[in-house]
């Protein structure tokens, strides 16, 4: 366990009322669990520590995310899973209730928006003006979709983007992410989107509402200073960096400096995180 100093971390951090975990890079990598992640979650839940799971992925429903975690023996409750799609639906329901929405995105986003009461329009509805364009990752993206979204935006639709991630980590490399699609729409229209996912505070506000706790009592645990830790800071939450994904023991300080964030503690992995929590009285 590392921190600004592990002793400082133990003194300055309060016992958490909830833990908000990132997923990819924190509890698993692709289809492989981080060693000890499943045992850590099982142990925390058995001790009554509420665990929530916050992901920028908008392509899966919470039930599908839970199924993916269960397959790796990480027993997450789907009711405790927040995706950028469900956070977007929560935001849109409060700001644009019952709106016509043109969507670039996959099943997770479409299901969340329908459940929030949005009316989804498609390319065949040429005479219907969308009140907003909601854009996430779409791995079957076509030029016609970009053209339709551009038309709606130039005609006055609001622009909501699930997450700003330009790259999507996959086994063996990277693919263009939701942020890359959003960049194309931004370039075409000059319109900046309302961002929902990390590092935005929107997804964190929804997660904290779900957890029923105040920001200073909910630890955010993640591997990425640019998204996870920045989101923690934007929401006013303690930020715990784990060296299981983007950052290593050699480069974490460099990444944190570039992201402009300082973690409250740095843990090598699940065992050290449990040790940190147990060490706070």
């Amino acid at each position: 366990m590392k921190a600004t100093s592990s002793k400082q971390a133990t003194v300055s951090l309060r016992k958490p009322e909830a833990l908000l975990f990132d997923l990819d890079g924190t509890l698993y990598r692709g289809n492989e669990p981080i060693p000890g992640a499943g045992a850590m979650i099982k142990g925390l839940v058995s001790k009554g520590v509420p665990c929530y799971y916050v992901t920028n992925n908008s392509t899966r429903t919470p039930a599908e995310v839970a199924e993916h975690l269960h397959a790796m023996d990480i027993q997450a409750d789907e009711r405790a899973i927040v995706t950028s799609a469900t956070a977007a639906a929560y935001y849109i329901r409060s700001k644009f209730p019952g709106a016509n929405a043109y969507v670039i995105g996959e099943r997770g986003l479409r299901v969340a928006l329908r459940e929030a009461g949005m009316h989804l329009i498609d390319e065949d509805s040429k005479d219907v003006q969308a009140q907003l364009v909601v854009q996430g990752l779409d791995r079957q993206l076509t030029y016609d979709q970009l053209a339709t979204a551009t038309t709606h935006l130039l005609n006055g639709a609001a622009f909501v983007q699930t997450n700003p991630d330009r790259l999507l980590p996959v086994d063996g490399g990277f693919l263009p992410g939701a942020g890359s699609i959003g960049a194309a729409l931004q370039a075409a229209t000059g319109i900046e989107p309302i961002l929902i996912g990390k590092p935005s505070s929107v997804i964190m506000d929804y997660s904290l509402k779900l957890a029923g706790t105040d920001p200073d009592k909910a630890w955010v645990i993640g591997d990425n200073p640019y998204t996870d830790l920045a989101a923690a800071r934007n929401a006013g939450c303690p930020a715990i960096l784990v060296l299981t994904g983007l950052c290593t023991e050699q480069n974490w300080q460099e990444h944190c400096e570039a992201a402009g964030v300082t973690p409250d503690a740095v843990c090598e992995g699940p065992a050290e995180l449990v040790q940190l929590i147990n060490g706070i009285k």
Side-chain angles (χ1 to χ4, degrees):
M1 178 178 23
K2 301 173 181 63
T4 14
S5 135
S6 59
K7 287 185 179 179
Q8 287 177 3
T10 304
V11 170
S12 62
L13 287 169
R14 297 165 55 184
K15 203 81 168 179
E17 289 187 0
L19 300 174
L20 308 181
F21 284 96
D22 171 56
L23 291 181
D24 202 351
T26 299
L27 296 182
Y28 62 80
R29 298 187 201 96
N31 293 310
E32 294 294 326
I34 301 295
M40 173 185 67
I41 296 299
K42 183 177 180 181
L44 290 168
V45 171
S46 70
K47 291 179 179 178
V49 181
C51 295
Y52 293 83
Y53 310 91
V54 185
T55 176
N56 271 3
N57 190 319
S58 66
T59 63
R60 292 173 171 148
T61 66
E64 290 165 344
V65 173
E67 183 179 354
H68 181 59
L69 289 167
H70 292 172
M72 295 180 285
D73 201 27
I74 301 171
Q75 299 304 310
D77 186 337
E78 72 174 84
R79 294 170 296 182
I81 293 170
V82 176
T83 71
S84 61
T86 58
Y90 172 78
Y91 175 85
I92 290 166
R93 184 170 54 217
S94 68
K95 302 293 185 182
F96 305 92
N100 290 333
Y102 180 74
V103 180
I104 293 178
E106 298 185 18
R107 170 179 157 76
L109 182 56
R110 293 175 182 277
V111 168
L113 292 174
R114 286 195 187 99
E115 289 179 349
M118 299 300 108
H119 175 60
L120 308 192
I121 62 177
D122 56 30
E123 284 81 3
D124 295 331
S125 305
K126 300 295 186 184
D127 56 340
V128 179
Q129 169 60 30
Q131 292 162 277
L132 67 158
V133 170
V134 187
Q135 176 260 309
L137 177 65
D138 192 330
R139 287 166 289 191
Q140 284 74 49
L141 179 71
T142 66
Y143 184 83
D144 283 348
Q145 286 177 290
L146 288 175
T148 301
T150 296
T151 298
H152 285 303
L153 290 170
L154 292 176
N155 285 338
F159 184 8
V160 176
Q161 187 175 317
T162 59
N163 62 293
D165 303 341
R166 297 289 179 98
L167 292 174
L168 174 69
V170 295
D171 293 339
F174 295 90
L175 295 175
S180 294
I181 299 172
L185 292 175
Q186 241 183 298
T189 65
I191 298 170
E192 286 194 25
I194 300 163
L195 293 176
I196 301 297
K198 298 176 285 186
S200 169
S201 60
V202 175
I203 194 170
M204 302 307 297
D205 291 344
Y206 177 52
S207 301
L208 290 165
K209 181 180 176 65
L210 193 66
T213 191
D214 295 327
D216 62 336
K217 299 173 184 174
W219 292 11
V220 174
I221 297 127
D223 69 296
N224 190 324
Y226 306 93
T227 54
D228 306 321
L229 302 195
R233 288 290 175 255
N234 288 337
C237 299
I240 314 300
L241 178 66
V242 287
L243 305 180
T244 50
L246 175 66
C247 294
T248 66
E249 187 172 353
Q250 290 72 37
N251 69 18
W252 71 265
Q253 290 172 304
E254 180 183 341
H255 277 298
C256 287
E257 185 176 343
V261 295
T262 301
D264 294 288
V266 182
C267 300
E268 292 179 5
E272 292 77 13
L273 177 59
V274 171
Q275 184 183 351
L276 175 62
I277 296 168
N278 290 341
I280 298 175
K281 304 303 181 185

